[in-house]
Amino acid sequence: MVSYKELGLVNTREMFAKAVAGGYAIPAFNFNNMEQLQAIIKAAATKRSPVILQVSKGARSYANQTLLRYMAQGAVEYAKELGWENPQIVLHLDHGDTFETCKSCVDMGFSSVMIDGSALPYEENIAVTKKVVEYAHQFDVTVEAELGVLAGVEDEVSAEESHYTRPEEVIDFTSKTGCDSLAISIGTSHGAYKFKPEQCTRDPKTGILIPPPLAFDVLAEIEKKLPGFPIVLHGSSSVPQEYVKIINENGGKLPDAVGIPEEQLRKAAKSAVCKINIDSDSRLAMTAMVRKVFNEKPGEFDPRKYLGPARDEMQKLYEHKIVNVLGSDGKA
């Protein structure tokens, strides 16, 4: 059993309470490798933002659970080295699909876990979430649950259609499960193709797709039912068109990739939404820089020469999100 406190990590309880009260959101950035982790920590330390390091089940398998433990511990020490005396860093399991997966993460030093029973029948979702909460809370690990289904694809998580969270269920669900935060569905989506072209309008000047607005009326109803309760938005990448353009100009093929407009995420961050998940944007930033280097310097084979620019671009992206979208800069 590894305690996250020994690694220098924190759970989400206090940071979420501050975020809800302060009208900002905590960045939850997914990572799969060292370069992403370096960029996240450097951005958070530079901007003094609390941060959640998110690891999906697939990423955990890719990186190895033992290495992850030491990477998280190393991230805390790296943050201190950068001058951040008291780093507010969470290691979080994204979309845990079983009690066993969540338990394994708690046992290996994660400070927060998500149990995603949203695809299960309502009562089964309650049962598995409650079981995870009862185990995790013994070790002061916080638990995120989900009601409603997001469309799109991310690692093992896949759904053809979204189903909005039903506000009438949230009080019953949170009181029966004891979860610490609740991921809801109000129109965000996983992946770089968050909406089909037929769901969008097209800008007549640029030809770029304009997605439908988020269901802020559903969010408002949930806030009324659960005043002050931490709400989470998944699938909240904006799919920056400059990265899509670089990828497509350098041999890639991402037609009609579209994400959530940043002004909508800014609005959400000022509400009870206190955790906003961003994954695809950093993947796009990384891929854009790698493709650009390979296209411009086809003889390059030193990983540092293409992963270095990718890391720098991701840091720039993360700092932009922290300051201009989530408002979490200077909060840690």
Side-chain angles (χ1 to χ4, degrees):
M1 180 79 196
V2 179
S3 168
Y4 69 87
K5 295 174 184 178
E6 295 168 12
L7 308 182
L9 300 166
V10 299
N11 67 24
T12 60
R13 194 170 291 115
E14 188 178 342
M15 70 168 59
F16 281 178
K18 286 180 178 176
V20 172
Y24 60 91
I26 309 294
F29 297 131
N30 288 68
F31 79 99
N32 302 274
N33 59 29
M34 182 184 76
E35 286 77 17
Q36 283 179 308
L37 182 60
Q38 287 174 314
I40 293 167
I41 296 304
K42 204 163 182 186
T46 300
K47 297 302 176 185
R48 289 297 188 273
S49 169
V51 70
I52 296 169
L53 303 173
Q54 284 203 155
V55 182
S56 67
K57 183 181 173 185
R60 187 173 180 238
S61 174
Y62 177 81
N64 175 271
Q65 63 175 9
T66 304
L67 272 175
L68 266 177
R69 164 194 167 181
Y70 290 102
M71 287 176 83
Q73 188 172 16
V76 173
E77 296 307 315
Y78 180 41
K80 290 177 182 176
E81 191 179 297
L82 291 169
W84 193 7
E85 290 180 15
N86 186 28
Q88 300 295 294
I89 299 172
V90 172
L91 181 63
H92 174 75
L93 170 67
D94 191 23
H95 289 291
D97 57 350
T98 64
F99 168 77
E100 288 73 23
T101 298
C102 292
K103 179 184 182 297
S104 175
C105 287
V106 171
D107 293 348
M108 286 297 289
F110 280 61
S111 57
S112 175
V113 294
M114 178 197 186
I115 175 64
D116 182 0
S118 60
L120 299 171
Y122 181 70
E123 292 300 331
E124 288 182 33
N125 188 0
I126 287 176
V128 71
T129 301
K130 186 170 186 281
K131 188 176 181 183
V132 170
V133 167
E134 287 174 348
Y135 184 78
H137 279 187
Q138 295 177 79
F139 307 101
D140 202 24
V141 171
T142 41
V143 178
E144 175 186 330
E146 182 166 342
L147 262 183
V149 178
L150 271 69
V153 178
E154 181 185 33
D155 285 2
E156 302 86 0
V157 181
S158 176
E160 281 291 321
E161 295 181 8
S162 65
H163 301 283
Y164 286 170
T165 303
R166 294 176 183 155
E168 62 270 21
E169 292 178 344
V170 296
I171 295 174
D172 181 64
F173 184 86
T174 54
S175 61
K176 283 182 178 174
T177 62
C179 63
D180 300 285
S181 60
L182 184 67
I184 63 169
S185 174
I186 59 168
T188 55
S189 178
H190 291 128
Y193 297 93
K194 297 190 183 300
F195 304 97
K196 295 173 184 172
E198 57 267 27
Q199 294 175 280
C200 308
T201 54
R202 202 176 281 274
D203 187 312
K205 291 181 181 176
T206 63
I208 292 172
L209 294 174
I210 302 168
L214 299 180
F216 282 102
D217 55 334
V218 175
L219 174 58
E221 281 299 307
I222 291 169
E223 284 186 285
K224 279 184 199 169
K225 303 273 188 188
L226 296 173
F229 194 84
I231 301 298
V232 176
L233 282 190
H234 283 243
S236 296
S237 283
S238 299
V239 187
Q241 291 304 303
E242 62 265 32
Y243 294 143
V244 173
K245 187 168 183 280
I246 292 169
I247 289 169
N248 290 340
E249 286 175 348
N250 289 277
K253 193 175 181 183
L254 289 175
D256 292 333
V258 63
I260 310 299
E262 288 189 342
E263 61 268 20
Q264 295 200 41
L265 296 174
R266 275 192 285 273
K267 182 178 176 182
K270 290 181 171 68
S271 71
V273 172
C274 63
K275 173 178 180 272
I276 292 182
N277 292 12
I278 296 167
D279 184 5
S280 295
D281 285 354
S282 64
R283 295 184 185 196
L284 291 167
M286 186 173 212
T287 301
M289 292 304 106
V290 170
R291 278 195 174 275
K292 191 167 184 287
V293 172
F294 281 163
N295 194 32
E296 293 175 356
K297 301 176 182 176
E300 188 57 73
F301 66 95
D302 182 346
R304 294 169 297 183
K305 296 291 175 61
Y306 52 86
L307 293 177
R311 179 182 62 189
D312 294 344
E313 194 62 36
M314 286 189 291
Q315 182 188 340
K316 193 169 98 178
L317 169 77
Y318 294 137
E319 289 186 13
H320 165 72
K321 296 290 184 182
I322 286 166
V323 175
N324 299 312
V325 181
L326 308 177
S328 61
D329 50 311
K331 303 297 193 296

